[in-house]
Amino acid sequence: MIVMKFGGTSVKDATAMRRVLGIVHAQHERTPLVVLSACGGFTDKLLTMARCAGTGDTQKMHEMYQIISTHHITLCNELLANETYRERALHRTNTLLEELRVFCEGIALLGECTPRSLDAIASFGERLSTSIFTIAAQEQGLDALFHDARTTMRTDSVYTNATVQFSQLQTLSRGQILPHMEQGGIVITQGFIGSTEQRITTTLGRGGSDLSAALYGAALLAEEIQIWTDVSGVLSADPRVILNAKSLPEISYAEVRQLSYYGAKVLHPDTIKPAVDKNIPVKVLNTFEPSNSGTTIVYSTKPEEHGLRAVTLMQNCMMIRFDASPDESAAHILADVLEYCHVQKVEILASVGNESSCAIVIRSSDSTIIPNANAVRTAVALLCACGPNLLQHGTELFEFASALQESSPLSVLYGSSDVSIIALLSPDKAQAALQKVHEYIAV
Ligand code: ASP
Ligand code: MG
């Protein structure tokens, strides 16, 4: 079996859902577990509605309800051609909408919207999208089973940010999801939502559908997890800045982590960790260009592979250098600074030191809270290039250095990671440096 996850943009309306149906249909023989988000933007609308109910703004609450209700009823009418299926979808949708209305009235009466209520309300987005989608898949002749994720995605009771109990998920999902697949059917379920032991609805945190997909994939030992989104996988650079950025056929989890840490808008690597740990390949694919083979994220890269393949740029950073006096060691200063940053929750982007001086790099916005009158502050941009097995091969360092020849880097950090090289640049030279490094990557 495989897991296919589609985000909010991919299922936002009837046209989008039809596209997704085509993609699922093409792979139905691989018995997918289809994990869907709410229609794009509707989790926000549901949460706004719940908060309005809680603060007594019932007029806005009713307005939001109207928007939510109209959207999903229109979706049924536009998506389903056959009257029997359309009626079934409308009936199901109206039942859910009625339940949603009662919930909201309840919150308004209490005049209080708790995290638990927020989760209950937010869950309707995914429950509506999957209910309608399942009936549309059945209309297409697919043997599609609707699965309520709240019966398998068992969590703790930390509302709005619940943690999944993996062994429970494993047992429950194997019992409830696999039997239908063994008969050759497909299963459709919600991302993002779960429930406690007591069957109270929870959510895994905003954007939690990727995590749901990875967890189901890991629990059911899927042969592959597909994350369908609106870009063609992981790109060699930000396409808004580097126009010829290209999508990478393969990348390792470690590289994705570095890219994401240094500002690339790729999927959040933590969300796919459960699948990567089980060596299940995670493919990032584009719903709007399904023929593009996207990017496969793998646990580790073959040892012989090397070469830089992606680059990110983080502007608005600050390098802070501390010089040690003869009677103190830079190692001690660095230790104190790191401890201080840890307590103050200042994110360290890079740090280096020797016996006489040391430096850290943080976001400029945090720099004012770093004490020490003797520290020298320099505004910098942080450029991070990624590639596999850099330390075994070593040649990338020279490519990197020659790409940066004209940008006179203020510092180059190499060796602390096997998958990245970092350069600190003066902000006005950073864009040109990014272009240059990408030219090396592109050949
Ligand atoms: N619908 C949820 C959200 O918007 C979960 C997701 O889309 O991943 O946060
Ligand atoms: Mg989303």
Side-chain angles (χ1 to χ4, degrees), residues 37-38 43 126 192 206-209:
S37 287
T43 307
E126 272 72 8
F192 178 55
R206 294 305 306 272
S209 295

Side-chain angles (χ1 to χ4, degrees), residues 77-97:
N77 284 323
E78 289 180 0
L79 184 62
L80 293 133
N82 175 297
E83 201 184 324
T84 314
Y85 287 95
R86 189 168 58 239
E87 285 307 320
R88 197 180 295 164
L90 282 168
H91 178 73
R92 184 75 201 113
T93 301
N94 281 317
T95 308
L96 282 167
L97 288 171

Side-chain angles (χ1 to χ4, degrees), residues 55-128:
T55 56
D57 186 351
T58 47
Q59 191 189 336
K60 180 97 190 277
M61 173 189 103
H62 285 299
E63 271 169 37
M64 294 311 283
Y65 180 79
Q66 218 42 58
I67 296 172
I68 294 163
S69 158
T70 308
H71 176 83
H72 290 92
I73 289 171
T74 309
L75 176 57
C76 295
N77 284 323
E78 289 180 0
L79 184 62
L80 293 133
N82 175 297
E83 201 184 324
T84 314
Y85 287 95
R86 189 168 58 239
E87 285 307 320
R88 197 180 295 164
L90 282 168
H91 178 73
R92 184 75 201 113
T93 301
N94 281 317
T95 308
L96 282 167
L97 288 171
E98 181 54 19
E99 198 187 316
L100 175 63
R101 194 185 59 76
V102 172
F103 253 111
C104 277
E105 303 280 352
I107 295 172
L109 271 177
L110 286 169
E112 173 185 44
C113 183
T114 61
R116 175 171 159 172
S117 304
L118 284 174
D119 277 355
I121 299 289
S123 74
F124 280 90
E126 272 72 8
R127 288 160 65 200
L128 282 160

Side-chain angles (χ1 to χ4, degrees), residues 320-353:
I320 307 182
R321 207 188 66 222
F322 307 87
D323 286 319
S325 58
D327 55 341
E328 63 183 344
S329 97
H332 279 124
I333 300 177
L334 186 57
D336 287 348
V337 172
L338 293 180
E339 170 66 18
Y340 178 85
C341 289
H342 180 69
V343 173
Q344 299 288 322
K345 297 199 164 53
V346 175
E347 204 177 0
I348 306 275
L349 302 169
S351 69
V352 279

Side-chain angles (χ1 to χ4, degrees), residues 5-8 36-44 47 122 125-126 191-193 205-211:
K5 181 261 166 179
F6 296 88
L36 301 185
S37 287
C39 298
F42 279 85
T43 307
D44 284 336
L47 292 172
E126 272 72 8
F192 178 55
I193 71 171
R206 294 305 306 272
S209 295
D210 290 341
L211 178 59

Side-chain angles (χ1 to χ4, degrees), residues 4 20-30 142:
M4 303 175 87
V20 171
L21 278 169
I23 294 170
V24 170
H25 207 289
Q27 297 198 56
H28 77 276
E29 281 172 3
R30 301 178 78 190
L142 288 168

Side-chain angles (χ1 to χ4, degrees), residues 9-10 228-232 285-288:
T9 328
S10 302
W228 290 84
T229 161
D230 49 8
V231 284
S232 296
L285 297 150
N286 189 348
T287 309
F288 304 91

Side-chain angles (χ1 to χ4, degrees), residues 189-335:
T189 196
Q190 308 78 38
F192 178 55
I193 71 171
S195 86
T196 66
E197 193 85 57
Q198 290 73 35
R199 295 302 176 89
I200 299 160
T201 302
T202 52
T203 66
L204 311 186
R206 294 305 306 272
S209 295
D210 290 341
L211 178 59
S212 300
L215 286 166
Y216 274 122
L220 299 170
L221 294 175
E223 60 189 79
E224 173 179 302
I225 295 174
Q226 302 177 352
I227 306 282
W228 290 84
T229 161
D230 49 8
V231 284
S232 296
V234 180
L235 302 183
S236 56
D238 183 344
R240 289 164 304 178
V241 184
I242 302 289
L243 298 177
N244 63 341
K246 55 183 197 303
S247 95
L248 306 170
E250 188 183 288
I251 193 163
S252 70
Y253 172 71
E255 289 168 83
V256 174
R257 275 198 73 188
Q258 291 279 319
L259 292 173
S260 148
Y261 192 73
Y262 291 118
K265 302 268 177 301
V266 292
L267 90 174
H268 202 301
D270 292 351
T271 61
I272 58 160
K273 181 107 192 338
V276 173
D277 282 345
K278 291 224 171 343
N279 231 332
I280 302 171
V282 177
K283 278 195 173 168
V284 182
L285 297 150
N286 189 348
T287 309
F288 304 91
E289 201 198 338
S291 58
N292 188 309
S293 47
T295 302
T296 306
I297 302 170
V298 294
Y299 180 71
S300 58
T301 320
K302 291 180 205 77
E304 64 273 18
E305 267 179 60
H306 67 110
L308 296 174
R309 46 189 180 192
V311 58
T312 61
L313 182 67
M314 213 176 186
Q315 289 282 10
N316 303 320
C317 300
M318 184 71 78
M319 176 165 70
I320 307 182
R321 207 188 66 222
F322 307 87
D323 286 319
S325 58
D327 55 341
E328 63 183 344
S329 97
H332 279 124
I333 300 177
L334 186 57

